[in-house]
Amino acid sequence: MQKLLKDESLVASWRNFFEENCKSDIETVAGGYPEKRSLVVDYDLIDKIEPKLAEMLLVQPYKGLHNAKEALKQIDTASENKLDLHFRIKNLPENQKIIIRKIRASHMGKLVAIEGLVKKTTEVRPKLLVAAFQCQKCGAVIRIEQDEDILKEPTECYEDQSGCGRVSSFKLSTVHSEFIDSQKLEVQENPEGLRGGAQPERISVYLEDDLVGEITPGDRVVVNGVLHSMPRRRGTFRLTSFDKAMQAVSIENQQFAFEEVEISPEDEKQILKMSKDPEIYEKIRMSIAPTIYGMEIEKDALALQLFGGIMKEMPDGTHTRGDIHAIFVGDPGTAKSQLLSYMSKLAPRSVYVSGKSSSAAGLTAAAVRDEFGEGQWTLEAGALVLADMGIACVDEIDKMDDSDRSALHQAMEQQEISVAKAGINATLKSRCALLAAANPKLGRFDEFLPIHEQINMPPALLSRFDLIFSILDKPNRKKDTELAAHILLSHKAGEMHENISKSPDSVFSSDEESVLMAHVKPVFEPQILRKYVAYAKRSVFPVMTDDALEILKSYYVEFRSSTEGSVPFTPRQLEAFVRLAEASARIRLSQTVTIDDAKRSISIIEQYLRRVGMDRETGKFDIDIIATGISHSQQDRMRLIIDIIKQLCQESTDGNAARPDIVGEAEIKGVESSKVEEALDRLKRNGQIYEPAHGKYKITEY
Ligand code: ADP
Ligand code: MG
């Protein structure tokens, strides 16, 4: 096939082009040969100088590339190696960029660029390029080029390869064969390009030689390559419908955040103007899910999460997270899912999934042996990897798989997910904010039970969230009236919109419609808000002022000392304060974190702690409730009961502590009997004590 492609005059033109424009690049590659073996050229350059050659690359890519590669072989370099370089083109013109779902038959065989998110990668495997077969009759070695999936064997011992010409049996000799590294990727459309709720379409991409091993799932890439159709097979039969696939010519990895959000100079002007608005915080809050009534604090928190704190690289190579993790736990029907899905559409680079996802990768990542890998191991990215640099919105997180639950710890704090299985050993990045929602196991949220018991999530995981909001649905006449009015009015507005736009003789006027719509219109349209967020995250990195630092420090210290006997905050909460304050500064596009930002972050955290972190007995904040599920006062009590049991065991004749005696002793020390029962229950459940006979207790010895 390749012999047919060769065209001497084309080779000459390419040689000319390379001699005049790429000489120094070729020398650089030659200097690093054979580790470096690709000459990468910008399409623009070729188009400017040799538009005909450029044009040919697009419409007859194999012919163009093959002759260019031949020309490269003829270029003299300072290196004594005989070079066999790949010719790779990057930066194809905009009109060659095709959205994956728009790929049609007419694109087959053309050089195009697709943009997307890498969902899966297989392990790197050697692939036969030229197979060498040894004739079992005369011993001659017959070489056959392999350009298909299925191994092509010689039908006879070819005389033109100095064989004996007989029909023979052959043995594949791997030593004399030529192999090339190969890898397969699955690239899916960027979530930004999807119309609400549509499933992203995917395409398989084949990589060879020095392109392999560079891409991990979760990467955002532009793949330049030739579109192919691959015959589908049912068993051993070939079908007439084909699958689409791409043979990569080059890959551009998008290194910078939010390249996909384009911000024009006019946008920038508008963004700067918005940032000067003294009511920017209220306006952004009012732009988040305006159809949802109330939930001001939650929306304030979501606004901060949208912008996020600053990720810091430390000199020792570690990094601290800037992303703000938040979780909503609460009664059914309180618009949790609604809020999450709104956020996933608003935030750049976000992904919306349900905890009980259908893909093997789930929330984190998985190495699986699936159909895609054709027998090889495939590494597949889950939601937190796909949302890298954005927000992962995970609804019903309480229903996630156990494997995700353990991987989530690392994913949330280190923002990495390690997968080591079979031939795959990878660390994927999950630098995203997690926005989760959970429904209580028992249907309704119980304010008096620790959260982790209600949502089937271990306390250690729960304490990794910067913000935990409980959402209760309690009847309240005033609030109910307003909520009902809001919901009904927004429905009415929607009805009127439908009526005016769909019925030819509508009796309603568009003025009436806009009056109603004003209730549910965001102050900032999602398009501009999304640009605002991308702009802020891309270019605003505020630094804390000494005043702000002082406020956070004294708040932390004061709070810890004022609530003696309970543990209100740990250093983890202090970090949450910092992130929220940074996000608050970012909203104003401010270069500094000021006192106001520090105060805003304190107020939001206080709000959430008031709801979920309060020790009901003492009325004090207690982070232990979240971290361990037991308040500090409960812990003290459990310790006391253990001491009492120990004492009683020593004193008694049978070596056990009887329940009435325990209760009696505890009451003397000021603990009510109901609390004693509760503590006994807990201790027994924890395995710290056991009950050898009914009503008799003993300490478990380790
Ligand atoms: P959850 O996920 O919390 O169970 P959903 O998000 O499914 O609840 O909400 C159920 C419905 O109730 C949605 O249609 C939502 O719009 C509506 N709803 C609930 N609370 C509000 C509210 N505060 N304002 C407007 N609509 C609401
Ligand atoms: Mg829901």
Side-chain angles (χ1 to χ4, degrees):
M1 177 177 84
Q2 309 223 312
K3 288 186 193 82
L4 294 177
L5 293 169
K6 192 154 177 183
D7 176 329
E8 290 304 337
S9 76
L10 268 179
V11 172
S13 320
W14 274 113
R15 196 177 56 214
N16 214 10
F17 172 81
F18 289 134
E19 293 279 1
E20 311 220 319
N21 304 289
C22 309
K23 205 69 210 249
S24 70
D25 288 345
I26 293 174
E27 287 297 349
T28 316
V29 179
Y33 194 81
E35 281 72 39
K36 278 194 191 157
R37 49 189 184 276
S38 286
L39 175 71
V40 186
V41 182
D42 219 288
Y43 181 85
D44 274 351
L45 179 72
I46 311 172
D47 195 33
K48 219 162 49 204
I49 296 164
E50 290 278 3
K52 282 224 173 74
L53 291 182
E55 172 74 21
M56 170 173 249
L57 283 176
L58 298 182
V59 292
Q60 285 181 286
Y62 284 122
K63 188 164 181 188
L65 291 168
H66 180 73
N67 286 293
K69 197 168 157 35
E70 287 298 314
L72 270 180
K73 286 185 191 160
Q74 301 179 359
I75 309 273
D76 292 322
T77 63
S79 153
E80 56 246 38
N81 290 325
K82 202 172 150 0
L83 303 185
D84 184 7
L85 302 183
H86 296 291
F87 173 51
R88 307 202 180 280
I89 305 161
K90 62 169 189 189
N91 281 336
L92 291 189
E94 267 321 295
N95 58 12
Q96 294 298 116
K97 274 203 180 135
I98 302 184
I99 296 168
I100 296 175
R101 71 176 56 230
K102 299 255 168 77
I103 294 175
R104 294 291 175 265
S106 61
H107 297 126
M108 294 300 147
K110 304 284 174 352
L111 181 65
V112 298
I114 55 165
E115 203 172 350
L117 191 51
V118 179
K119 168 91 175 144
K120 300 180 183 180
T121 59
T122 65
E123 49 188 325
V124 176
R125 279 278 179 93
K127 191 181 117 183
L128 260 180
L129 205 56
V130 180
F133 292 93
Q134 192 167 37
C135 172
Q136 297 298 292
K137 285 183 178 156
C138 72
V141 172
I142 304 295
R143 299 163 68 80
I144 308 263
E145 272 185 30
Q146 302 291 329
D147 45 22
E148 277 193 61
D149 285 352
I150 293 171
L151 184 67
K152 257 200 267 176
E153 295 184 51
T155 48
E156 55 177 57
C157 188
Y158 303 122
E159 278 175 8
D160 60 354
Q161 291 197 35
S162 15
C164 57
R166 285 177 286 181
V167 175
S168 170
S169 62
F170 294 90
K171 205 168 161 188
L172 180 68
S173 158
T174 48
V175 186
H176 296 105
S177 299
E178 282 173 43
F179 288 89
I180 193 165
D181 287 323
S182 72
Q183 191 181 24
K184 188 176 169 191
L185 313 179
E186 185 174 80
V187 178
Q188 76 176 34
E189 290 172 277
N190 280 336
E192 288 79 24
L194 294 177
R195 282 223 306 274
Q199 277 299 310
E201 290 225 5
R202 299 175 181 160
I203 187 169
S204 304
V205 175
Y206 290 85
L207 311 184
E208 278 179 3
D209 207 26
D210 55 347
L211 291 181
V212 306
E214 299 290 327
I215 301 289
T216 52
D219 285 352
R220 302 243 166 182
V221 293
V222 176
V223 188
N224 307 305
V226 185
L227 285 172
H228 267 282
S229 41
M230 311 255 298
R232 299 168 74 128
R233 289 202 170 80
R234 187 181 295 146
T236 52
F237 295 103
R238 287 182 174 203
L239 305 181
T240 48
S241 70
F242 281 56
D243 274 334
K244 56 193 180 209
M246 184 181 238
Q247 183 74 42
V249 170
S250 71
I251 297 193
E252 300 163 44
N253 203 342
Q254 295 183 326
Q255 306 284 353
F256 305 103
F258 311 114
E259 275 180 83
E260 66 280 1
V261 181
E262 275 175 38
I263 299 172
S264 66
E266 293 86 72
D267 291 333
E268 189 172 343
K269 233 190 253 161
Q270 193 183 348
I271 288 168
L272 293 176
K273 189 165 150 248
M274 282 159 71
S275 73
K276 306 252 159 40
D277 190 330
E279 288 178 1
I280 181 77
Y281 294 96
E282 288 73 28
K283 288 189 174 169
I284 288 184
R285 182 211 300 143
M286 289 193 281
S287 306
I288 293 178
T291 56
I292 293 171
Y293 166 81
M295 310 188 88
E296 280 86 10
I297 298 153
E298 287 82 356
K299 289 184 184 178
D300 280 343
L302 288 174
L304 293 175
Q305 185 186 40
L306 201 53
F307 286 82
I310 314 292
M311 184 183 77
K312 294 139 201 146
E313 298 270 5
M314 297 298 166
D316 62 355
T318 58
H319 81 268
T320 56
R321 145 169 86 92
D323 299 300
I324 297 163
H325 299 316
I327 184 169
F328 295 148
V329 184
D331 291 336
T334 46
K336 298 186 299 294
S337 302
Q338 195 90 342
L339 267 179
L340 255 61
S341 93
Y342 193 91
M343 290 308 286
S344 75
K345 290 190 195 110
L346 182 60
R349 289 205 166 186
S350 56
V351 171
Y352 177 94
V353 288
S354 171
K356 192 139 196 67
S357 84
S358 50
S359 94
L363 298 183
T364 52
V368 287
R369 215 172 202 154
D370 63 0
E371 205 181 313
F372 175 76
E374 293 154 10
Q376 303 180 26
W377 286 90
T378 306
L379 181 59
E380 180 174 353
L384 269 77
V385 177
L386 295 179
D388 188 32
M389 314 277 264
I391 300 184
C393 303
V394 182
D395 204 359
E396 319 216 347
I397 195 168
D398 46 314
K399 301 199 179 60
M400 70 186 154
D401 286 346
D402 286 337
S403 56
D404 273 337
R405 208 179 304 261
S406 48
L408 210 53
H409 285 92
Q410 190 199 9
M412 286 177 75
E413 207 55 64
Q414 276 70 45
Q415 304 204 290
E416 284 176 352
I417 296 165
S418 316
V419 180
K421 192 171 169 188
I424 287 174
N425 198 334
T427 303
L428 304 181
K429 294 199 168 70
S430 63
R431 296 160 300 181
C432 65
L434 176 57
L435 172 59
N439 290 317
K441 261 190 288 195
L442 301 171
R444 289 222 154 242
F445 192 76
D446 185 340
E447 286 176 81
F448 297 95
L449 277 180
I451 291 193
H452 77 100
E453 278 185 16
Q454 304 194 50
I455 60 166
N456 194 15
M457 200 190 263
L461 195 53
L462 209 50
S463 72
R464 279 176 166 71
F465 284 95
D466 299 276
L467 297 167
I468 304 171
F469 285 104
S470 60
I471 303 178
L472 302 184
D473 182 19
K474 279 196 255 179
N476 169 323
R477 202 173 178 86
K478 179 167 172 292
K479 202 185 131 210
D480 289 348
T481 315
E482 286 169 8
L483 176 102
H486 188 90
I487 293 185
L488 296 173
L489 275 178
S490 53
H491 276 262
K492 183 169 174 186
E495 287 160 3
M496 202 170 280
H497 177 76
E498 294 297 309
N499 187 296
I500 291 174
S501 62
K502 304 237 169 92
S503 52
D505 39 56
S506 173
V507 294
F508 300 101
S509 72
S510 51
D511 283 351
E512 281 176 284
E513 184 196 335
S514 43
V515 169
L516 276 174
M517 275 294 175
H519 285 279
V520 288
K521 236 183 143 75
V523 181
F524 301 130
E525 292 292 332
Q527 293 87 331
I528 186 70
L529 188 52
R530 171 199 279 267
K531 288 180 181 175
Y532 192 110
V533 172
Y535 182 88
K537 290 185 89 166
R538 194 148 66 183
S539 49
V540 181
F541 299 89
V543 176
M544 215 175 321
T545 58
D546 292 342
D547 294 342
L549 196 145
E550 201 51 46
I551 287 207
L552 291 180
K553 187 173 83 187
S554 57
Y555 183 84
Y556 178 75
V557 175
E558 277 304 308
F559 218 101
R560 273 176 72 103
S561 60
S562 74
T563 52
E564 225 170 294
S566 68
V567 183
F569 296 133
T570 64
R572 202 173 249 154
Q573 272 69 44
L574 185 59
E575 289 189 335
F577 281 123
V578 174
R579 286 190 276 268
L580 290 166
E582 288 164 351
S584 162
R586 249 186 180 167
I587 290 186
R588 283 180 289 118
L589 305 185
S590 161
Q591 297 300 327
T592 52
V593 179
T594 61
I595 297 185
D596 285 344
D597 297 318
K599 286 186 176 154
R600 179 166 291 110
S601 107
I602 289 173
S603 117
I604 290 221
I605 293 202
E606 275 190 348
Q607 298 270 13
Y608 109 67
L609 283 179
R610 191 160 294 144
R611 291 199 228 163
V612 300
M614 191 104 87
D615 185 340
R616 298 278 159 199
E617 289 163 35
T618 59
K620 289 177 183 169
F621 288 152
D622 190 342
I623 208 69
D624 275 4
I625 297 184
I626 298 165
T628 64
I630 313 171
S631 72
H632 205 78
S633 45
Q634 278 170 318
Q635 269 172 7
D636 282 349
R637 203 150 49 227
M638 282 156 68
R639 230 170 280 133
L640 178 74
I641 302 289
I642 287 196
D643 286 343
I644 292 176
I645 295 178
K646 258 189 207 152
Q647 175 105 31
L648 289 172
C649 286
Q650 276 169 11
E651 287 167 5
S652 74
T653 47
D654 61 353
N656 295 330
R659 187 196 295 252
D661 297 342
I662 302 172
V663 174
E665 275 300 310
E667 268 179 347
I668 295 171
K669 298 217 158 81
V671 182
E672 298 166 35
S673 63
S674 68
K675 296 272 176 311
V676 179
E677 297 290 346
E678 188 197 298
L680 283 174
D681 263 0
R682 258 184 205 281
L683 286 169
K684 214 170 87 177
R685 243 188 301 157
N686 291 356
Q688 286 166 281
I689 60 171
Y690 62 103
E691 199 172 356
H694 183 70
K696 307 259 184 187
Y697 294 91
K698 257 183 136 144
I699 305 286
T700 313
E701 307 285 350
Y702 293 101

